[in-house]
Amino acid sequence: MAARKKNMDFETALAELEGLIEQLESGDLTLDASLKAFEQGVKLTRECQLQLADAEQKVSKLVAEQGELKLTDFDQNEAAP
């Protein structure tokens, strides 16, 4: 499987996606322009999803515990001390 090229950072992709959504919701675009905006939105959504999945994997961390390395998954329900 070929390595994926990261075109833009998450925040930039999300901001562009939000702009496309606003354009689509305005109803001012032609049908052709709406389809192109939708297609670009799908691409941006997929890129954001991939970047979020990558970030989730990075959040899974190795913790040294009694001389052994233990893989600990990020838990959103854990309260910070």
Side-chain angles (χ1 to χ4, degrees):
M1 188 165 147
R4 162 175 62 88
K5 180 182 176 187
K6 191 184 281 190
N7 294 330
M8 60 181 75
D9 64 22
F10 178 80
E11 290 77 12
T12 303
L14 186 59
E16 190 173 323
L17 181 58
E18 289 171 344
L20 288 172
I21 291 168
E22 288 177 14
Q23 289 177 358
L24 287 165
E25 287 179 340
S26 74
D28 295 335
L29 297 175
T30 64
L31 178 59
D32 188 47
S34 294
L35 288 172
K36 287 179 182 176
F38 182 78
E39 182 180 359
Q40 180 63 20
V42 169
K43 290 177 184 177
L44 289 167
T45 299
R46 289 180 181 153
E47 179 61 29
C48 286
Q49 288 173 335
L50 288 171
Q51 289 188 35
L52 285 171
D54 287 347
E56 185 177 0
Q57 287 179 339
K58 288 177 184 177
V59 170
S60 294
K61 59 186 175 183
L62 289 174
V63 178
E65 189 173 305
Q66 297 177 351
E68 294 181 26
L69 294 178
K70 176 183 171 188
L71 183 62
T72 305
D73 290 331
F74 176 73
D75 185 358
Q76 293 177 327
N77 296 327
E78 286 185 56

